[in-house]
Amino acid sequence: MSPLLGAIRADTGLSVATAGLLTTLPVLCFGVLAPLAPRLGRRLGMEPTLLLTMVLITAGAAIRLLQPLAAILAGTVLIGAGIAVANVLLPGVIKRDFERRVGLMAGLYTMTMFASPAIAAGLSVPLERATGLDWRCVLALWGVPAVAAIIVWLPQTRRHTRVSAADTQAAAHPVRGLWRNPLAWAVTCFMGLQAMTFYMVVAWLPTLLSDAGMSDVTAGVMLSLSSVVGIVGAFLAPLLAGGAARTAAIVVAGSVLYVIALGGLMVAPIAGAYLWMSLLGLGQGAATSLALLCIMRRAPDIRHAAQLSSMSQCFGYVLAALGPLALGVVHQAAGGWTIPLLLVITVLVPQTLAGVLAARDRHVSGYPDEPPVRAELLPFPNSRRRLGTGPG
């Protein structure tokens, strides 16, 4: 929606605050609705729940075709809700179905998370101009990939088999003690802080470059460049992350690239823009993919993966929604960009420490007060064949 905000405001008379709300609503949904995802997954099953998320996204895109402002807000909330639940459950899919190739699949998954928004942001305005459609129709067109995903995913729902009432009741118990586990909090803080720094930089980078004298068009290209390079970082980092020591080293290396890029933006924002954007993209991509990789590797089974993903993304996206606001306030008070960039660098310190702690080769498990649950039913059917576990 961001590239079309100008047209939306001109057509509807939206205030700056309401326009900002439209772009913030999905991120808030990611955080607020994340705790509901494991419950839905346990109640409906993994595959049907993921199908439901794509139906919500399609419905939200269609609703935004309607004229009232309330329809735009409602459609945006539905899209945010669908993405929020899918964000939490998809790491569980990778944990269950690709346990021996978690690094590769985590890299591919994170790569799509960087590439898809970049494609949508880059094509929305050209689509509007090439087709002559208004902004409502252009936004609705982005529901078409969700329809395609429904068609592709529909056969997967056949894997959802019936289980006994006793097994269903046992598997419905949430993981206990997760919010008191230090390793779970390390993963959560790493996920939260990297999301916060990511959105802080992405939200204000074009403005920073424009204030330095760069044209608005070129500033947008620079943001796209960082996203494109981020695809490379997102793909390579999980592949290179072997054991705990190597993963921790890549966490630190990614933060160092981040710091160099932010430092470069302070001293030579235009002269070295291409270099800074490349380093920034590599650092952001590595941090995002490693945060998701830690969720998968620190969870002993799919049940823990779903709830650890919920915990970390709830905390992470709430921070992500507040980060750009805080940076904007600091920028307004400071009257420049040096102090705000130093603030981002400061946040990178605990982010790196949390990433190193989250890289430890341990599992967030071992809670003695949990009820006995058969491993192949945690938390969804059809896990036994994938995990290679037996009853007991």
Side-chain angles (χ1 to χ4, degrees):
M1 181 174 288
S2 296
L4 297 171
L5 273 183
I8 295 172
R9 290 190 62 202
D11 186 33
T12 63
L14 286 181
S15 65
V16 175
T18 306
L21 178 63
L22 281 175
T23 58
T24 306
L25 267 176
V27 183
L28 287 173
C29 288
F30 299 164
V32 173
L33 300 179
L36 300 178
R39 298 180 186 180
L40 283 174
R42 289 193 301 269
R43 189 175 187 87
L44 303 179
M46 176 77 86
E47 286 77 15
T49 303
L50 286 171
L51 183 68
L52 176 62
T53 66
M54 289 174 272
V55 171
L56 287 176
I57 294 170
T58 305
I63 287 174
R64 291 200 297 197
L65 279 168
L66 303 178
Q67 292 294 326
L69 174 60
I72 304 174
L73 294 171
T76 302
V77 169
L78 282 178
I79 291 171
I83 298 173
V85 176
N87 276 347
V88 171
L89 296 184
L90 279 171
V93 173
I94 297 173
K95 176 70 178 180
R96 182 194 65 187
D97 293 351
F98 304 98
E99 191 172 19
R100 294 183 180 180
R101 290 178 290 167
V102 165
L104 172 62
M105 296 307 299
L108 290 172
Y109 171 48
T110 316
M111 185 175 69
T112 64
M113 292 178 67
F114 272 83
S116 300
I119 292 171
L123 291 182
S124 289
V125 173
L127 275 174
E128 182 186 32
R129 294 175 179 174
T131 62
L133 298 173
D134 66 7
W135 58 268
R136 285 186 174 86
C137 294
V138 173
L139 285 179
L141 286 176
W142 293 113
V144 174
V147 174
I150 290 173
I151 296 171
V152 171
W153 190 254
L154 194 59
Q156 299 296 317
T157 59
R158 298 175 184 174
R159 298 175 56 191
H160 180 68
T161 57
R162 294 183 178 274
V163 295
S164 69
D167 288 334
T168 301
Q169 183 179 6
H173 285 280
V175 175
R176 297 177 182 175
L178 198 62
W179 288 80
R180 302 190 302 271
N181 184 275
L183 181 57
W185 271 109
V187 174
T188 297
C189 289
F190 183 41
M191 179 70 188
L193 292 172
Q194 69 81 25
M196 183 180 185
T197 53
F198 176 86
Y199 281 100
M200 288 168 78
V201 173
V202 167
W204 289 105
L205 182 61
T207 304
L208 182 155
L209 294 173
S210 297
D211 289 349
M214 186 178 287
S215 70
D216 292 342
V217 173
T218 306
V221 171
M222 290 298 104
L223 180 59
S224 297
L225 174 62
S226 69
S227 297
V228 171
V229 178
I231 297 171
V232 178
F235 180 68
L236 291 180
L239 290 180
L240 297 175
R246 186 182 297 180
T247 303
I250 297 175
V251 168
V252 174
S255 296
V256 170
L257 294 177
Y258 227 131
V259 170
I260 294 173
L262 295 175
L265 287 171
M266 282 191 284
V267 298
I270 296 181
Y274 285 95
L275 175 59
W276 312 142
M277 293 305 99
S278 299
L279 296 179
L280 181 66
L282 288 173
Q284 288 178 331
T288 302
S289 60
L290 290 176
L292 291 168
L293 181 67
C294 285
I295 292 174
M296 301 171 200
R297 284 187 172 175
R298 302 293 78 83
D301 52 51
I302 182 177
R303 177 170 169 238
H304 286 77
Q307 294 207 214
L308 182 59
S309 179
S310 169
M311 174 181 172
S312 59
Q313 294 196 45
C314 173
F315 181 77
Y317 283 114
V318 170
L319 273 181
L322 297 176
L325 175 62
L327 197 69
V329 171
V330 173
H331 167 59
Q332 186 173 0
W337 287 107
T338 299
I339 294 178
L341 289 175
L342 287 173
L343 174 62
V344 179
I345 292 174
T346 302
V347 177
L348 284 170
V349 175
Q351 173 184 317
T352 306
L353 177 60
V356 171
L357 293 175
R360 290 175 297 172
D361 192 14
R362 300 178 185 176
H363 283 152
V364 289
S365 60
Y367 305 112
D369 56 345
E370 287 186 341
V373 185
R374 283 168 45 190
E376 69 270 20
L377 296 173
L378 300 179
F380 309 110
N382 296 323
S383 297
R384 180 178 179 181
R385 177 173 55 84
R386 297 286 179 178
L387 293 175
T389 55

